[in-house]
Amino acid sequence: MATPPKRLRRTMTRSRLLIYSLILAVAVVLVSCNRKNVYVKYQHVPTSGWDKNDTLTYDVSPLKAGRYHEEVGVRIARSYPFMSLSLVVKQTILPSGYVHSDTLVCKLVDESGKFRGQGVSYYQQTFHLNTIRLHEGDSLHINIKHNMKREVMLGVSDIGFRIDEE
């Protein structure tokens, strides 16, 4: 059986590459769009020290009724001296006034001393907090503070809060 001319083979290869690229692009879009981001905010923490009494506050505008996925983001400098960071996250749902408090232990460094997450001199990770159900028009007031034995935590750069609609 004779092989197709070189130009025809090149065209077939380009067509296949285009089809595979298109399928991959559609798959990426479908996978990344299964949640709709409704709130993201990071607050800077002085790397010179985050005092135990310094509370970070996040206010989320009223949302529509539904289930929401909550995450806390942590950015640390390479100088962060511990393997984990313990955070107290207190949420108030308004207008009901319902208060929910969680302690989130964020594992930032593995047993071999390697920083987890993405980064070079600063590393970022996200940690699942909750899945909550809100009623029409509910808003959130969130307070986050560290719960470590040290009064002042060095090396924490930013703390973020993210909400995605499920």
Side-chain angles (χ1 to χ4, degrees), residues 6-97:
K6 194 174 192 176
R7 187 172 32 165
L8 183 59
R9 281 188 303 203
R10 218 180 292 146
T11 303
M12 288 173 32
T13 304
R14 285 184 185 157
S15 297
R16 283 184 184 156
L17 183 60
L18 180 64
I19 289 170
Y20 291 141
S21 297
L22 197 59
I23 290 171
L24 180 62
V26 169
V28 167
V29 167
L30 290 175
V31 169
S32 64
C33 291
N34 61 352
R35 286 196 178 135
K36 181 182 172 195
N37 181 266
V38 295
Y39 181 85
V40 176
K41 182 177 181 182
Y42 274 81
Q43 292 191 32
H44 181 67
V45 177
T47 53
S48 59
W50 181 17
D51 191 272
K52 195 169 196 150
N53 296 320
D54 289 344
T55 302
L56 303 173
T57 302
Y58 306 82
D59 289 306
V60 181
S61 300
L63 300 170
K64 65 182 182 178
R67 290 174 47 97
Y68 294 90
H69 176 84
E70 299 177 314
E71 292 181 341
V72 174
V74 178
R75 292 181 187 141
I76 59 168
R78 185 174 277 284
S79 62
Y80 185 73
F82 300 103
M83 295 180 77
S84 63
L85 175 65
S86 179
L87 300 173
V88 175
V89 182
K90 181 180 170 186
Q91 299 183 64
T92 305
I93 299 176
L94 302 170
S96 70

Side-chain angles (χ1 to χ4, degrees), residues 141-158:
H141 177 77
I142 299 115
N143 291 322
I144 300 177
K145 63 182 185 175
H146 78 79
N147 190 31
M148 302 291 281
K149 289 184 180 180
R150 273 198 183 170
E151 288 294 316
V152 178
M153 291 303 301
L154 303 173
V156 178
S157 171
D158 300 275

